[in-house]
Amino acid sequence: MQRNRELVNFLPVVILMIVGFASVYMARSSQIDASSLSYGLLFVGLFLLVHLFLRIATPDADPFLLPLAALMSAIGIMLIYRIDPDLAAAQATWLMAGLGLLIAVIAFLRNYRKLDDYIYLCGIVGVLLLVVAIVAGQEINGARLWLKIGGFSIQPGEFSKVLITIFLAGYLNSKRELLATSTWHLLGVPMPALKHLGPLVTMWGMSFALLLLMNDLGTSLLFFGIFLAMTYVATNRLAYPIIGGILFSGGALLAYHIKGTVHTRVDIWINPWPDAMDKGYQLVQSLFAIGDGGLFGTGLGKGYLLFQNGDPIIPALHTDFIFSAIAEELGLAGATALIVIFMIFCYRVFKIAAESDDGFSKLLAAGLGAGFALQTFVIIGGVMKLIPLTGITLPFVSYGGSSMVANFGGLALLLLISNRTNKARRS
Amino acid sequence: MNKPIKRLFIVSVLMFASLIAMLGYRQVIEAQDLADNPQNTRKVFAQMRIERGLILGSDKSELAKNRKEDDLYYRVYPKGDLVPHLVGYSDPTYGQVGLEHSQNSYLTGTADEVELVNLFDTLTGKQKRGADLKLTINLQVQRTAQEELQKIGKRGAVVVIDVKTGAVTAMVSNPTYDPNQLGANWQQLNSDPDSPLFNRATQGLYTPGSVFKMITASAALESGAFTPQSRFRDDRGTVDIGGFTVHNYRAEPFGEHSLAEAFSQSINTTFAQVGDQLGKDKLIEYMQKYGFYEKPPFDLPSDEIAASGRYENGELLSPGDSMDRAQVASMAFGQEQLQVTPLEMALVAESIANGGKMMKPYSVDSVSDYNGTVVKQAKPEVWKTPIRPDMANELKDMMVKVVNEGTGGKAKTGKVQIAAKTGTAEVTGRGPNAWFVGFAPAESPRYAIAVVVEDSDAGGGIAGPVMRETLLAALGL
């Protein structure tokens, strides 16, 4: 039943994919050859294969998640194809790797709640990945997020995000009674005993360390945001997000004054125009691209995204700034539709969290949902100059192996959680 | 745990909603501003496949033409640093400014008037090419004005206007730059404290000092309370108004004199008293009649033109803002937060020369497509009528007196009778602005001019020869 609905949900994705690839091809036929159109077919084939697998492995899983993820990846790969067909080939490989991980997780972690026993391992690996990024990472745009191994660039933060969410789900689930007990009040807000504020302070310290060592406000905000959201879900105490928010603001303010890179980012956010040829170039060009999109966009393949020699005008166009490309070519109508797709995805994830009946699953789903929403907000808000810019991928859309693989890993967990809940309901 | 999950979802909906709101703002409300931003080179790039129209001087010599490389057209400016502030540049890296920016739709052939022609030509297989601009700039006059300013070696500007039509004959801003060398000099051009890219003629805001007395005198004469013969007495070289002491230049006492003498000798104490008697409203009324508090309607992009008026911390004050007596008195002789552009002062002189009619200034004489068909021809229009013709004549006589008997002796020449008003405007922190504003020939005026030289250590007279030589060049004498 659920899988039949899933199959129907795939229909619009396939249609969109065909129309999208065809229009990119028509607009840019002088620059790209017809054989590259096969990425579109490959894409459709891959998702149908995963669908068949889910029919056997998780028949009761949520029927919207996979089609929505396919839709987001489709929009991403279409735009990447439009920017550089070679990159689309690579992205198709990453997509395969991601779907491979999704199948592996579902096949071998059918009883995902076993993860609860390994949360400390997840947590340690998650933190280690971040440490590796900080110690051995390459500095790109002032932030240390990338690790180069051989010919590959890896973003350990993407994996770390999922692993730490798993850790927090288990940890908070076991400690939530303690954390939720209030012993005193601060300005009318019930507060937990000071000694139980330990994890909050630790997590804050970690985020702050991330900010100082990685030079990256966005990653720091993402990790701390996930933590606060999950703590709030675990305890139903507003005190945590409130205290956390104040702590984070204090840390960010301090970082602004002591770290040059953070200072620069914020200054560019406030006013990029005097530096439009230099430090503000990327953001200013992004704003110009978005502005050019207008209501309905220039049309796929018709925007002004590349220089004559094929280099993108906006650096990191296919990764961090892919939303600017979407906003230019698909306009307010198309880009809003994409944001609505993100919102529907969030809705499904939070619904899975709300419907599941055990604390670990609830927290895991809620954490993944919060992370997804926050990451989307941070990067889209960044390229539109709503908030200071941070180099971070747009989930399922941006080019990148780490991001693709990690997000499909998280998706696998969500499918498992919903499968378990729906199965219990059905019987 | 479901209540916090629900709230979390609500928070994420709010976040997504704020993204959509911001997106709508950027793509709809702000879109035009972003597209018009001079740093936005997207349009320039896209239009580099179009052969842009030429920009020509009044003698049809080329000020801007094209160089083809691969499929793309790059701009070349054969006259180098002669007219860059008005002509501007169109560059795929540095964007567009000046007429290259404001007249882009003509130059690329995308304006409505030109499009039809091109559509027809596309059908008949002719290549697309933009329309040519013929400017009103006389390169002889332009060169003379630029050389005279460069001789002094100070920052400054000159604007020359054809009295009868409002056509801009010369527009110079010093220091200048070579638009062919943007790539090599960009950093230096932007960090140079003399800001060579800045068009001082239309954007430079200067304290007017005594040249503002043309406006005070207009208000005084038209009010009926004063005539050029009205008598004044000044024994001390200072006068107290509203608790503020007004000094003459070097506190010199002038004894008994007429309003015309006060004008030609630039007597601050007398003009302070006249201003005090007229009152704030009268002075502001005449400022507005002369086009203060609005940007003159000119061919340049609006962000390259400044309005004249009272400024505070870089912001134009409202004409309705209140002022005390002391402020009104010192405004009457051109101090008190007044800031004017050389273009505005040239327009003031032009309207006095033109019997009280201020013409709308323009620099694009005609636009013609590449077949030579004129698609747009500038027509002289009256922009303001600040004073009556008889008052304009009285002012003109007073301005002749300035050159013949007063402070404007430096502009005197035997070849033609020049009428002028001088100014030495004090500026805190550096030397005064030296002004010469006027027109020639006095008996039947043809050209009006405003000259300003910044940081003048030699007093106001330094600008006199610039005016004289430029006017002689314009008159062909």
Side-chain angles (χ1 to χ4, degrees), chain B residues 118-174:
Chain B
N118 272 313
L119 185 65
F120 178 72
D121 291 341
T122 315
L123 293 175
T124 55
K126 275 193 195 169
Q127 213 194 349
K128 188 166 173 152
R129 188 181 171 293
D132 297 339
L133 304 184
K134 185 170 158 265
L135 305 189
T136 57
I137 298 293
N138 179 325
L139 297 187
Q140 283 305 100
V141 183
Q142 178 83 8
R143 191 170 290 114
T144 306
Q146 189 178 64
E147 281 169 4
E148 289 295 324
L149 262 188
Q150 284 169 349
K151 246 190 250 170
I152 298 171
K154 297 276 184 189
R155 296 182 300 264
V158 178
V159 176
V160 182
I161 296 179
D162 184 311
V163 166
K164 293 281 171 246
T165 62
V168 173
T169 309
M171 179 170 275
V172 173
S173 178
N174 194 50

Short mmCIF file of all heavy atoms in Angstrom, two decimals, chain B residues 118-174:
data_model
loop_
_atom_site.label_atom_id
_atom_site.label_comp_id
_atom_site.label_asym_id
_atom_site.label_seq_id
_atom_site.Cartn_x
_atom_site.Cartn_y
_atom_site.Cartn_z
N ASN B 118 16.16 47.53 -35.87
CA ASN B 118 16.97 46.34 -35.85
C ASN B 118 16.20 45.08 -36.19
O ASN B 118 16.72 44.16 -36.80
CB ASN B 118 17.62 46.17 -34.48
CG ASN B 118 18.94 46.92 -34.44
OD1 ASN B 118 19.74 46.79 -35.36
ND2 ASN B 118 19.13 47.71 -33.41
N LEU B 119 14.95 45.05 -35.79
CA LEU B 119 14.12 43.89 -36.09
C LEU B 119 14.02 43.74 -37.60
O LEU B 119 14.22 42.68 -38.17
CB LEU B 119 12.72 44.06 -35.48
CG LEU B 119 11.80 42.87 -35.63
CD1 LEU B 119 12.34 41.69 -34.85
CD2 LEU B 119 10.40 43.22 -35.18
N PHE B 120 13.77 44.86 -38.25
CA PHE B 120 13.67 44.86 -39.70
C PHE B 120 15.00 44.41 -40.32
O PHE B 120 15.05 43.60 -41.22
CB PHE B 120 13.30 46.26 -40.20
CG PHE B 120 13.23 46.36 -41.69
CD1 PHE B 120 12.18 45.76 -42.37
CD2 PHE B 120 14.21 47.03 -42.41
CE1 PHE B 120 12.12 45.83 -43.76
CE2 PHE B 120 14.15 47.11 -43.79
CZ PHE B 120 13.11 46.51 -44.46
N ASP B 121 16.10 44.96 -39.75
CA ASP B 121 17.40 44.63 -40.30
C ASP B 121 17.78 43.18 -40.05
O ASP B 121 18.48 42.57 -40.84
CB ASP B 121 18.47 45.56 -39.71
CG ASP B 121 18.27 46.98 -40.22
OD1 ASP B 121 17.60 47.12 -41.24
OD2 ASP B 121 18.78 47.91 -39.58
N THR B 122 17.31 42.63 -38.94
CA THR B 122 17.58 41.22 -38.67
C THR B 122 16.92 40.38 -39.76
O THR B 122 17.49 39.42 -40.26
CB THR B 122 17.00 40.81 -37.31
OG1 THR B 122 17.34 41.82 -36.37
CG2 THR B 122 17.59 39.49 -36.85
N LEU B 123 15.70 40.77 -40.14
CA LEU B 123 14.98 40.03 -41.17
C LEU B 123 15.73 40.11 -42.50
O LEU B 123 15.80 39.15 -43.24
CB LEU B 123 13.56 40.60 -41.33
CG LEU B 123 12.65 40.37 -40.12
CD1 LEU B 123 11.32 41.07 -40.34
CD2 LEU B 123 12.43 38.89 -39.89
N THR B 124 16.31 41.27 -42.75
CA THR B 124 17.01 41.41 -44.01
C THR B 124 18.48 40.98 -43.90
O THR B 124 19.25 41.15 -44.81
CB THR B 124 16.95 42.86 -44.51
OG1 THR B 124 17.46 43.70 -43.47
CG2 THR B 124 15.54 43.27 -44.84
N GLY B 125 18.84 40.44 -42.73
CA GLY B 125 20.16 39.84 -42.59
C GLY B 125 21.27 40.78 -42.19
O GLY B 125 22.42 40.41 -42.14
N LYS B 126 20.93 42.03 -41.87
CA LYS B 126 21.98 42.96 -41.44
C LYS B 126 22.35 42.67 -39.99
O LYS B 126 21.53 42.25 -39.19
CB LYS B 126 21.48 44.40 -41.56
CG LYS B 126 21.66 44.97 -42.95
CD LYS B 126 21.45 46.48 -42.88
CE LYS B 126 21.24 47.07 -44.26
NZ LYS B 126 20.79 48.45 -44.17
N GLN B 127 23.62 42.95 -39.65
CA GLN B 127 24.06 42.67 -38.30
C GLN B 127 23.54 43.70 -37.32
O GLN B 127 23.38 44.87 -37.66
CB GLN B 127 25.58 42.66 -38.28
CG GLN B 127 26.12 41.66 -37.27
CD GLN B 127 27.59 41.90 -37.02
OE1 GLN B 127 28.24 42.66 -37.72
NE2 GLN B 127 28.10 41.25 -36.01
N LYS B 128 23.31 43.23 -36.11
CA LYS B 128 22.78 44.12 -35.09
C LYS B 128 23.87 45.08 -34.58
O LYS B 128 24.97 44.67 -34.31
CB LYS B 128 22.25 43.30 -33.92
CG LYS B 128 21.51 44.12 -32.91
CD LYS B 128 20.71 43.23 -31.97
CE LYS B 128 20.13 44.08 -30.88
NZ LYS B 128 18.91 43.58 -30.34
N ARG B 129 23.51 46.33 -34.47
CA ARG B 129 24.48 47.33 -34.04
C ARG B 129 23.71 48.41 -33.29
O ARG B 129 22.60 48.76 -33.68
CB ARG B 129 25.18 47.91 -35.26
CG ARG B 129 26.34 48.82 -34.98
CD ARG B 129 26.89 49.30 -36.32
NE ARG B 129 27.87 50.35 -36.19
CZ ARG B 129 27.63 51.58 -35.76
NH1 ARG B 129 26.43 51.91 -35.38
NH2 ARG B 129 28.59 52.48 -35.70
N GLY B 130 24.31 48.93 -32.22
CA GLY B 130 23.63 49.92 -31.42
C GLY B 130 23.59 51.28 -32.09
O GLY B 130 24.19 51.49 -33.15
N ALA B 131 22.86 52.21 -31.46
CA ALA B 131 22.74 53.55 -32.02
C ALA B 131 23.87 54.45 -31.51
O ALA B 131 24.38 54.25 -30.41
CB ALA B 131 21.39 54.14 -31.66
N ASP B 132 24.26 55.41 -32.33
CA ASP B 132 25.34 56.33 -31.96
C ASP B 132 24.79 57.53 -31.18
O ASP B 132 23.68 57.99 -31.46
CB ASP B 132 26.03 56.87 -33.23
CG ASP B 132 26.69 55.75 -34.03
OD1 ASP B 132 26.95 54.69 -33.42
OD2 ASP B 132 26.94 55.94 -35.22
N LEU B 133 25.60 58.03 -30.25
CA LEU B 133 25.23 59.24 -29.52
C LEU B 133 26.11 60.38 -30.00
O LEU B 133 27.32 60.23 -30.07
CB LEU B 133 25.48 59.08 -28.03
CG LEU B 133 24.84 57.93 -27.25
CD1 LEU B 133 25.20 58.08 -25.78
CD2 LEU B 133 23.33 57.96 -27.43
N LYS B 134 25.51 61.50 -30.35
CA LYS B 134 26.32 62.69 -30.60
C LYS B 134 26.15 63.62 -29.40
O LYS B 134 25.02 63.97 -29.04
CB LYS B 134 25.87 63.38 -31.88
CG LYS B 134 26.75 64.55 -32.25
CD LYS B 134 26.40 65.05 -33.67
CE LYS B 134 26.85 66.48 -33.85
NZ LYS B 134 25.80 67.45 -33.58
N LEU B 135 27.25 63.96 -28.77
CA LEU B 135 27.17 64.78 -27.56
C LEU B 135 27.28 66.26 -27.89
O LEU B 135 27.67 66.65 -29.00
CB LEU B 135 28.30 64.39 -26.60
CG LEU B 135 28.39 62.93 -26.20
CD1 LEU B 135 29.39 62.76 -25.08
CD2 LEU B 135 27.02 62.40 -25.76
N THR B 136 26.95 67.08 -26.90
CA THR B 136 27.04 68.54 -27.07
C THR B 136 28.43 69.02 -26.66
O THR B 136 28.70 70.21 -26.70
CB THR B 136 26.00 69.21 -26.16
OG1 THR B 136 26.24 68.78 -24.82
CG2 THR B 136 24.59 68.85 -26.58
N ILE B 137 29.28 68.11 -26.22
CA ILE B 137 30.60 68.49 -25.70
C ILE B 137 31.50 68.99 -26.84
O ILE B 137 31.71 68.29 -27.82
CB ILE B 137 31.28 67.30 -25.00
CG1 ILE B 137 30.46 66.86 -23.79
CG2 ILE B 137 32.71 67.63 -24.60
CD1 ILE B 137 30.39 67.85 -22.68
N ASN B 138 32.01 70.23 -26.66
CA ASN B 138 32.98 70.78 -27.59
C ASN B 138 34.37 70.44 -27.06
O ASN B 138 34.78 70.92 -26.00
CB ASN B 138 32.77 72.30 -27.67
CG ASN B 138 33.76 72.97 -28.60
OD1 ASN B 138 34.93 72.56 -28.70
ND2 ASN B 138 33.31 74.00 -29.29
N LEU B 139 35.08 69.60 -27.79
CA LEU B 139 36.34 69.07 -27.26
C LEU B 139 37.40 70.16 -27.05
O LEU B 139 38.23 70.06 -26.16
CB LEU B 139 36.88 67.97 -28.17
CG LEU B 139 35.97 66.75 -28.29
CD1 LEU B 139 36.67 65.64 -29.07
CD2 LEU B 139 35.56 66.23 -26.91
N GLN B 140 37.36 71.22 -27.87
CA GLN B 140 38.29 72.33 -27.68
C GLN B 140 38.09 72.96 -26.31
O GLN B 140 39.03 73.20 -25.58
CB GLN B 140 38.03 73.41 -28.75
CG GLN B 140 38.56 73.10 -30.12
CD GLN B 140 40.04 72.80 -30.06
OE1 GLN B 140 40.43 71.64 -30.08
NE2 GLN B 140 40.88 73.82 -29.98
N VAL B 141 36.83 73.26 -26.02
CA VAL B 141 36.50 73.91 -24.75
C VAL B 141 36.84 72.96 -23.60
O VAL B 141 37.42 73.35 -22.57
CB VAL B 141 35.01 74.29 -24.72
CG1 VAL B 141 34.67 75.02 -23.43
CG2 VAL B 141 34.65 75.13 -25.93
N GLN B 142 36.47 71.69 -23.78
CA GLN B 142 36.74 70.68 -22.76
C GLN B 142 38.24 70.63 -22.46
O GLN B 142 38.65 70.63 -21.31
CB GLN B 142 36.25 69.32 -23.29
CG GLN B 142 36.51 68.13 -22.36
CD GLN B 142 35.46 67.98 -21.29
OE1 GLN B 142 34.43 68.66 -21.30
NE2 GLN B 142 35.71 67.12 -20.33
N ARG B 143 39.04 70.61 -23.53
CA ARG B 143 40.49 70.49 -23.35
C ARG B 143 41.04 71.73 -22.66
O ARG B 143 41.85 71.63 -21.73
CB ARG B 143 41.17 70.26 -24.70
CG ARG B 143 42.62 69.86 -24.57
CD ARG B 143 43.23 69.41 -25.89
NE ARG B 143 42.72 68.14 -26.37
CZ ARG B 143 42.00 67.97 -27.48
NH1 ARG B 143 41.67 69.03 -28.21
NH2 ARG B 143 41.59 66.79 -27.84
N THR B 144 40.59 72.91 -23.08
CA THR B 144 41.07 74.15 -22.45
C THR B 144 40.76 74.15 -20.96
O THR B 144 41.63 74.42 -20.12
CB THR B 144 40.39 75.37 -23.11
OG1 THR B 144 40.60 75.31 -24.51
CG2 THR B 144 40.95 76.66 -22.56
N ALA B 145 39.52 73.82 -20.62
CA ALA B 145 39.12 73.83 -19.22
C ALA B 145 39.97 72.83 -18.42
O ALA B 145 40.44 73.13 -17.32
CB ALA B 145 37.64 73.49 -19.10
N GLN B 146 40.17 71.64 -19.01
CA GLN B 146 40.94 70.62 -18.29
C GLN B 146 42.39 71.07 -18.09
O GLN B 146 42.94 70.95 -17.00
CB GLN B 146 40.90 69.30 -19.08
CG GLN B 146 41.50 68.15 -18.31
CD GLN B 146 41.40 66.85 -19.10
OE1 GLN B 146 41.99 66.71 -20.16
NE2 GLN B 146 40.64 65.91 -18.59
N GLU B 147 42.97 71.63 -19.15
CA GLU B 147 44.37 72.06 -19.03
C GLU B 147 44.53 73.19 -18.02
O GLU B 147 45.49 73.20 -17.24
CB GLU B 147 44.88 72.53 -20.41
CG GLU B 147 45.25 71.34 -21.29
CD GLU B 147 45.50 71.76 -22.75
OE1 GLU B 147 45.48 72.99 -23.05
OE2 GLU B 147 45.72 70.86 -23.57
N GLU B 148 43.58 74.12 -18.03
CA GLU B 148 43.67 75.24 -17.08
C GLU B 148 43.58 74.74 -15.64
O GLU B 148 44.28 75.21 -14.77
CB GLU B 148 42.55 76.26 -17.36
CG GLU B 148 42.75 77.06 -18.63
CD GLU B 148 43.98 77.98 -18.57
OE1 GLU B 148 44.28 78.51 -17.49
OE2 GLU B 148 44.63 78.14 -19.61
N LEU B 149 42.71 73.75 -15.41
CA LEU B 149 42.58 73.19 -14.06
C LEU B 149 43.85 72.44 -13.69
O LEU B 149 44.35 72.54 -12.56
CB LEU B 149 41.40 72.22 -14.00
CG LEU B 149 40.08 72.72 -13.46
CD1 LEU B 149 39.12 71.55 -13.29
CD2 LEU B 149 40.23 73.44 -12.12
N GLN B 150 44.36 71.67 -14.65
CA GLN B 150 45.56 70.89 -14.36
C GLN B 150 46.77 71.78 -14.10
O GLN B 150 47.64 71.43 -13.31
CB GLN B 150 45.84 69.92 -15.52
CG GLN B 150 44.89 68.71 -15.48
CD GLN B 150 44.93 67.86 -16.74
OE1 GLN B 150 45.52 68.27 -17.75
NE2 GLN B 150 44.32 66.69 -16.68
N LYS B 151 46.79 72.95 -14.73
CA LYS B 151 47.88 73.90 -14.49
C LYS B 151 47.93 74.28 -13.01
O LYS B 151 49.00 74.45 -12.44
CB LYS B 151 47.62 75.16 -15.33
CG LYS B 151 48.66 75.40 -16.43
CD LYS B 151 48.46 76.77 -17.01
CE LYS B 151 47.93 76.70 -18.42
NZ LYS B 151 47.50 78.02 -18.94
N ILE B 152 46.75 74.46 -12.43
CA ILE B 152 46.69 74.83 -11.01
C ILE B 152 47.11 73.64 -10.15
O ILE B 152 47.70 73.78 -9.09
CB ILE B 152 45.25 75.27 -10.64
CG1 ILE B 152 44.88 76.50 -11.46
CG2 ILE B 152 45.15 75.58 -9.16
CD1 ILE B 152 43.42 76.88 -11.33
N GLY B 153 46.79 72.42 -10.64
CA GLY B 153 47.23 71.23 -9.91
C GLY B 153 46.40 70.93 -8.68
O GLY B 153 46.88 70.33 -7.73
N LYS B 154 45.15 71.40 -8.68
CA LYS B 154 44.28 71.13 -7.53
C LYS B 154 43.06 70.35 -8.00
O LYS B 154 42.73 70.37 -9.18
CB LYS B 154 43.79 72.45 -6.92
CG LYS B 154 44.88 73.31 -6.36
CD LYS B 154 45.22 72.88 -4.97
CE LYS B 154 46.26 73.81 -4.34
NZ LYS B 154 46.75 73.28 -3.08
N ARG B 155 42.37 69.71 -7.04
CA ARG B 155 41.09 69.09 -7.37
C ARG B 155 40.11 70.20 -7.74
O ARG B 155 40.18 71.30 -7.17
CB ARG B 155 40.54 68.33 -6.17
CG ARG B 155 41.40 67.17 -5.75
CD ARG B 155 40.76 66.44 -4.58
NE ARG B 155 40.61 67.34 -3.44
CZ ARG B 155 41.49 67.42 -2.44
NH1 ARG B 155 42.54 66.64 -2.42
NH2 ARG B 155 41.30 68.26 -1.45
N GLY B 156 39.18 69.90 -8.64
CA GLY B 156 38.21 70.91 -9.00
C GLY B 156 37.34 70.47 -10.15
O GLY B 156 37.42 69.32 -10.60
N ALA B 157 36.50 71.40 -10.61
CA ALA B 157 35.58 71.06 -11.69
C ALA B 157 35.21 72.30 -12.48
O ALA B 157 35.27 73.43 -11.96
CB ALA B 157 34.32 70.41 -11.13
N VAL B 158 34.84 72.08 -13.74
CA VAL B 158 34.35 73.16 -14.60
C VAL B 158 33.11 72.65 -15.33
O VAL B 158 33.12 71.51 -15.83
CB VAL B 158 35.40 73.58 -15.65
CG1 VAL B 158 34.84 74.68 -16.55
CG2 VAL B 158 36.69 74.03 -14.99
N VAL B 159 32.06 73.46 -15.37
CA VAL B 159 30.90 73.13 -16.19
C VAL B 159 30.59 74.33 -17.08
O VAL B 159 30.51 75.46 -16.59
CB VAL B 159 29.66 72.81 -15.31
CG1 VAL B 159 28.45 72.55 -16.20
CG2 VAL B 159 29.93 71.61 -14.42
N VAL B 160 30.48 74.09 -18.38
CA VAL B 160 30.12 75.17 -19.32
C VAL B 160 28.79 74.79 -19.97
O VAL B 160 28.62 73.65 -20.42
CB VAL B 160 31.20 75.34 -20.42
CG1 VAL B 160 30.82 76.49 -21.35
CG2 VAL B 160 32.56 75.59 -19.79
N ILE B 161 27.85 75.76 -19.98
CA ILE B 161 26.53 75.49 -20.54
C ILE B 161 26.18 76.54 -21.60
O ILE B 161 26.43 77.72 -21.40
CB ILE B 161 25.46 75.50 -19.42
CG1 ILE B 161 25.73 74.36 -18.44
CG2 ILE B 161 24.05 75.39 -19.99
CD1 ILE B 161 24.75 74.29 -17.29
N ASP B 162 25.60 76.08 -22.68
CA ASP B 162 25.09 76.98 -23.70
C ASP B 162 23.86 77.68 -23.13
O ASP B 162 22.86 77.04 -22.79
CB ASP B 162 24.73 76.17 -24.96
CG ASP B 162 24.29 77.07 -26.11
OD1 ASP B 162 23.43 77.95 -25.87
OD2 ASP B 162 24.79 76.86 -27.22
N VAL B 163 23.94 79.02 -23.03
CA VAL B 163 22.92 79.79 -22.32
C VAL B 163 21.52 79.61 -22.92
O VAL B 163 20.54 79.45 -22.20
CB VAL B 163 23.31 81.28 -22.29
CG1 VAL B 163 22.14 82.15 -21.87
CG2 VAL B 163 24.50 81.50 -21.37
N LYS B 164 21.42 79.62 -24.22
CA LYS B 164 20.10 79.59 -24.84
C LYS B 164 19.44 78.21 -24.80
O LYS B 164 18.22 78.11 -24.80
CB LYS B 164 20.21 80.04 -26.32
CG LYS B 164 20.60 81.50 -26.48
CD LYS B 164 19.40 82.41 -26.27
CE LYS B 164 19.81 83.88 -26.21
NZ LYS B 164 19.58 84.48 -24.87
N THR B 165 20.25 77.15 -24.84
CA THR B 165 19.67 75.81 -24.99
C THR B 165 19.80 74.92 -23.76
O THR B 165 19.02 73.99 -23.58
CB THR B 165 20.38 75.07 -26.14
OG1 THR B 165 21.77 74.92 -25.82
CG2 THR B 165 20.23 75.80 -27.45
N GLY B 166 20.80 75.17 -22.91
CA GLY B 166 21.05 74.26 -21.79
C GLY B 166 21.99 73.13 -22.17
O GLY B 166 22.25 72.24 -21.37
N ALA B 167 22.52 73.16 -23.40
CA ALA B 167 23.46 72.12 -23.82
C ALA B 167 24.77 72.27 -23.06
O ALA B 167 25.29 73.37 -22.94
CB ALA B 167 23.71 72.23 -25.32
N VAL B 168 25.28 71.17 -22.54
CA VAL B 168 26.53 71.22 -21.80
C VAL B 168 27.69 71.18 -22.81
O VAL B 168 27.83 70.22 -23.56
CB VAL B 168 26.63 70.05 -20.80
CG1 VAL B 168 28.01 70.00 -20.16
CG2 VAL B 168 25.55 70.19 -19.74
N THR B 169 28.47 72.26 -22.80
CA THR B 169 29.54 72.39 -23.79
C THR B 169 30.83 71.75 -23.27
O THR B 169 31.64 71.24 -24.05
CB THR B 169 29.79 73.88 -24.09
OG1 THR B 169 28.52 74.47 -24.41
CG2 THR B 169 30.74 74.07 -25.24
N ALA B 170 31.04 71.80 -21.97
CA ALA B 170 32.20 71.16 -21.36
C ALA B 170 31.86 70.74 -19.95
O ALA B 170 31.07 71.40 -19.27
CB ALA B 170 33.40 72.10 -21.34
N MET B 171 32.44 69.62 -19.54
CA MET B 171 32.24 69.15 -18.17
C MET B 171 33.53 68.46 -17.74
O MET B 171 33.86 67.40 -18.24
CB MET B 171 31.06 68.18 -18.12
CG MET B 171 30.81 67.64 -16.73
SD MET B 171 29.25 66.72 -16.64
CE MET B 171 28.10 68.06 -16.35
N VAL B 172 34.25 69.13 -16.85
CA VAL B 172 35.57 68.64 -16.47
C VAL B 172 35.61 68.39 -14.98
O VAL B 172 35.07 69.16 -14.19
CB VAL B 172 36.66 69.70 -16.83
CG1 VAL B 172 38.02 69.27 -16.28
CG2 VAL B 172 36.71 69.91 -18.33
N SER B 173 36.21 67.29 -14.60
CA SER B 173 36.45 67.01 -13.20
C SER B 173 37.92 66.65 -13.06
O SER B 173 38.43 65.84 -13.82
CB SER B 173 35.56 65.84 -12.75
OG SER B 173 35.81 65.52 -11.40
N ASN B 174 38.60 67.29 -12.13
CA ASN B 174 40.03 67.06 -11.97
C ASN B 174 40.31 66.52 -10.56
O ASN B 174 39.76 67.05 -9.61
CB ASN B 174 40.78 68.39 -12.19
CG ASN B 174 42.26 68.18 -12.38
OD1 ASN B 174 42.68 67.36 -13.17
ND2 ASN B 174 43.04 68.91 -11.61
#
